[in-house]
Amino acid sequence: MPASPSAPEDFADLLSANQTFSEQFALSGFDGIAHAGVAIVTCMDSRIDPLGMLGLKPGDAKIFRNPGGRVTSAALEALVLGVHLLKVERILIIPHTRCAMGSATEDEFRAKVGASAGQDASWQGFHVVRDQVDALRQDVAGVRTHPLIGERAKVGGFVYDVDTGLLDQKF
């Protein structure tokens, strides 16, 4: 089934908010480096404010978000670029409590998405997290031993508590 085209009114509220945002926009001319030397890999969950939880502001960190906050090949690509071109010196990998990616198996996600889509979704992959702490350990180890990152950046693994706002360093 082809995607339906969007109509101007589909995004009118967001474009109006953007107009207001642009009237006070203060990041024009920003150089794009991570001024605090920080990169964050975290989940796409809307309960997470990556900059706020660390006392950072726009321009301080490079942020990569995906379901589950996993270090995927795309996340590694971002981290390598951050370390070599954008002054990243510290990498925080931050999954969170009560994450949906740990609430079902790969097959259950495929079935749910397939039912919602009205078509087979057995081919779609998801980064399901069966054991969050073990997945975090593996992700941290993978970044620490990556040949293009290694000793060039400090790497820490943390779990963000969506109910308290606190980080718990695991690795």
Side-chain angles (χ1 to χ4, degrees):
M1 173 187 306
S4 58
S6 63
E9 63 271 11
D10 293 341
F11 300 97
D13 60 328
L14 300 174
L15 290 173
S16 176
N18 174 254
Q19 182 63 44
T20 301
F21 171 79
S22 74
E23 292 166 6
Q24 299 170 21
F25 187 67
L27 296 176
S28 180
F30 176 62
D31 58 14
I33 64 167
H35 285 268
V38 172
I40 302 164
V41 176
T42 194
C43 187
M44 62 188 259
D45 192 298
S46 58
R47 296 172 289 181
I48 300 170
D49 175 1
L51 295 175
M53 74 174 160
L54 296 168
L56 300 174
K57 62 186 182 313
D60 283 346
K62 295 299 172 193
I63 302 168
F64 189 91
R65 296 177 80 141
N66 63 34
R70 297 301 313 275
V71 176
T72 61
S73 60
L76 272 173
E77 176 184 355
L79 294 174
V80 167
L81 290 170
V83 166
H84 289 279
L85 304 177
L86 303 170
K87 302 196 181 199
V88 167
E89 300 169 339
R90 293 180 290 170
I91 298 169
L92 293 85
I93 303 168
I94 310 174
H96 66 93
T97 58
R98 297 195 296 117
C99 183
M101 295 312 294
S103 69
T105 66
E106 187 99 2
D107 287 338
E108 290 169 334
F109 273 119
R110 288 175 174 151
K112 289 177 184 180
V113 170
S116 174
Q119 63 180 325
D120 176 46
S122 62
W123 53 271
Q124 178 64 54
F126 300 99
H127 291 92
V128 171
V129 180
R130 303 295 297 155
D131 180 335
Q132 188 177 59
V133 174
D134 186 56
L136 178 59
R137 180 190 57 73
Q138 291 178 42
D139 285 349
V140 168
V143 175
R144 285 180 178 162
T145 60
H146 190 282
L148 297 175
I149 298 174
E151 297 294 318
R152 293 172 179 87
K154 301 292 182 195
V155 182
F158 308 80
V159 175
Y160 177 73
D161 189 318
V162 297
D163 295 311
T164 67
L166 291 173
L167 286 173
D168 179 17
Q169 186 167 6
K170 300 290 186 185
F171 305 100

